[in-house]
Amino acid sequence: MASSLSPRELELQGIARDFVDELIPWEVEAEMNRGELPEDVERRFAERASELGLTALNMPEAMGGPGYSMMEQTLIQEQTGRVTNALGWVVSTGPSWIADVVTPYQMDRWIRPTVDGSIHECYAITEEGAGSDVDGMAATARHEGDQYVLDGVKWHVTSANLASYVFFQAKLADGPNVGRHVLFFVDMDTPGVECVRVPEYSHTYGHHHWEMRFDGVRVPKENLVGSEGDGMSFSHAWFRYERLMIAARCCGAAQRLIDEATSFAKEREAYGSRIMDYQAIQFMLADSLTELWAARLMTYETARSIDAAADLKTQHARCSMAKLYASEMANRVADRAVQVFGGRGFMRENVAERFYRELRVDRIWEGTSEIQRIIIADQLAKRGTTPLIG
């Protein structure tokens, strides 16, 4: 793939790869300590990411970000996927979808500090009865003078323990736009915002996924993102972006697994021969490499088409296809890697065991594999094959 990358793209890919190589030796310590590293180590990596231009990765230059192309972001995110325990999340991404609607007040209050790394955000969208079906949410926002009053319980609020503010999505309970979606900036210390519980998950991340309650939370109208009724469009923009980045990170994870499993297979002996010499092992690794290449081609092509300003509906379908294939590919690769490592592959200190747990959620969050198939089939029915895949 290197032959298709520009010198600048190769440079950024190399910078990200070298940085992730610094993170990898800390995986086991993070795994054994609830996903967390010593405070001074975390601070050092955050500073290092900033020095390398790997913070606010997706923010345009006009908003203080690096202004990377979608292809450049994809290459960087692919490298962050090579490290477990979400240590790669130190390479941060901000709410780039907000560029066209952010007000000067919101820019100064939340976005600029997010871009420079002073504060972090989280998203309160999912609910007990509203996952992939975002429109099924029960959270409400009602008018009261110059304020909105927010109510609802949100699940899986990723990185809530590290966030200074949260994007809260709800449906309007009154007014001319009743029933339509709205999105708000809400400071985490606003009265009425509380953490209900911190569930344990299969993966071991320092980024926790809170269940949060918003009980009569009052925010001024200045906290509204865009206009009333725009909330769902912002979610779609974020989903589109994050689905592609999930695909990229899954490619990185698969490459790490293939590299590690291949190295092990070349050293491990059984019955007088390296296990790499047995066809059963060869076939697992060959299938994994072939599927990784296909996923990478799809992911890179999707990024290139976004940079070329492809039709928005085409982008939506391609991001779904990339996430669907890459996430399911990476899960298959992880399963094979555990098998190659044998008993070692079932130990938490082993990279295959960690990825086996961590990659499973990529088939769920930001839209399940089933939802991706529905999106792809819908666009196929409406547009045919050529606009989607050429």
Side-chain angles (χ1 to χ4, degrees):
M1 297 300 296
S3 61
S4 67
L5 302 180
S6 71
R8 173 178 166 79
E9 289 167 347
L10 286 169
E11 179 185 14
L12 287 172
Q13 183 187 58
I15 289 171
R17 182 189 300 114
D18 291 344
F19 178 57
V20 169
D21 286 344
E22 296 178 31
L23 297 173
I24 286 173
W26 291 90
E27 290 174 325
V28 175
E29 176 156 348
E31 177 64 28
M32 301 306 170
N33 291 279
R34 300 181 62 82
E36 298 178 358
L37 297 178
E39 186 175 338
D40 63 318
V41 174
E42 290 192 356
R43 182 170 57 252
R44 185 172 77 243
F45 283 139
E47 292 171 353
R48 181 67 174 145
S50 180
E51 292 170 5
L52 295 172
L54 300 177
T55 53
L57 197 67
N58 58 339
M59 301 300 283
E61 290 185 34
M63 298 179 72
Y68 293 141
S69 70
M70 193 61 68
M71 185 63 193
E72 290 166 345
Q73 294 176 55
T74 296
L75 292 169
I76 293 169
Q77 288 274 19
E78 182 179 16
Q79 293 305 312
T80 69
R82 293 173 50 240
V83 63
T84 65
N85 301 89
L87 298 185
W89 288 11
V90 69
V91 176
S92 62
T93 55
S96 60
W97 48 265
I98 207 170
D100 295 331
V101 296
V102 67
T103 67
Y105 167 74
Q106 293 167 350
M107 186 72 179
D108 292 338
R109 176 78 179 268
W110 293 289
I111 301 303
R112 292 191 195 283
T114 301
V115 172
D116 69 24
S118 301
I119 62 176
H120 301 283
E121 85 285 6
C122 61
Y123 290 78
I125 299 176
T126 302
E127 299 178 6
E128 181 179 9
S132 294
D133 177 16
V134 179
D135 196 46
M137 69 173 52
T140 61
R142 57 183 173 83
H143 300 84
E144 190 170 292
D146 289 336
Q147 295 183 321
Y148 290 91
V149 181
L150 315 180
D151 290 281
V153 176
K154 299 292 186 176
W155 284 30
H156 314 308
V157 184
T158 300
S159 304
N161 60 311
L162 305 176
S164 298
Y165 67 97
V166 55
F167 287 108
F168 177 84
Q169 187 166 337
K171 286 184 174 181
L172 284 164
D174 59 6
N177 295 305
V178 63
R180 300 188 68 188
H181 286 256
V182 281
L183 194 69
F184 298 93
F185 288 94
V186 182
D187 291 316
M188 293 289 278
D189 59 0
T190 304
V193 176
E194 64 172 312
C195 173
V196 177
R197 65 190 184 107
V198 184
E200 297 289 346
Y201 287 76
S202 294
H203 53 223
T204 310
Y205 287 2
H207 294 253
H208 301 162
H209 314 283
W210 286 7
E211 179 182 335
M212 296 181 67
R213 178 180 290 113
F214 296 76
D215 186 7
V217 176
R218 296 174 181 275
V219 295
K221 62 182 181 181
E222 288 81 10
N223 288 34
L224 175 67
V225 180
S227 302
E228 291 188 351
D230 289 345
M232 190 66 86
S233 66
F234 301 138
S235 292
H236 287 160
W238 171 248
F239 288 156
R240 217 168 23 249
Y241 173 77
E242 187 56 18
R243 284 166 185 168
L244 181 59
M245 295 303 109
I246 287 171
R249 292 192 293 269
C250 282
C251 287
Q255 177 153 9
R256 171 85 185 283
L257 286 163
I258 294 167
D259 288 342
E260 297 276 5
T262 301
S263 294
F264 176 75
K266 290 165 67 175
E267 297 174 0
R268 172 69 166 149
E269 292 192 0
Y271 304 103
S273 297
R274 303 180 312 167
I275 65 171
M276 186 70 189
D277 297 327
Y278 292 112
Q279 197 172 70
I281 302 298
Q282 293 172 350
F283 282 11
M284 284 191 283
L285 294 173
D287 286 345
S288 295
L289 184 62
T290 301
E291 291 185 47
L292 168 58
W293 192 28
R296 180 177 286 163
L297 288 169
M298 183 183 296
T299 301
Y300 284 13
E301 176 59 27
T302 300
R304 295 279 192 209
S305 70
I306 293 173
D307 285 331
D311 173 80
L312 198 62
K313 293 293 186 181
T314 298
Q315 291 183 28
H316 204 60
R318 287 180 177 175
C319 289
S320 288
M321 285 189 275
K323 178 188 185 291
L324 171 65
Y325 187 78
S327 65
E328 298 206 342
M329 173 277 299
N331 273 259
R332 290 190 293 270
V333 171
D335 183 76
R336 294 177 191 131
V338 169
Q339 200 71 11
V340 171
F341 278 106
R344 292 170 176 80
F346 217 60
M347 301 168 70
R348 286 175 62 192
E349 65 192 49
N350 186 281
V351 64
E353 188 277 341
R354 294 194 299 277
F355 270 131
Y356 185 78
R357 286 183 286 113
E358 292 185 12
L359 288 166
R360 185 61 181 85
V361 74
D362 287 319
R363 292 157 57 191
I364 297 173
W365 56 15
E366 317 308 347
T368 64
S369 288
E370 291 71 32
I371 289 295
Q372 307 312 320
R373 289 183 171 96
I374 290 171
I375 292 169
I376 296 162
D378 178 64
Q379 287 300 306
L380 174 62
K382 292 176 178 176
R383 304 161 72 81
T385 59
T386 301
L388 301 182
I389 64 172

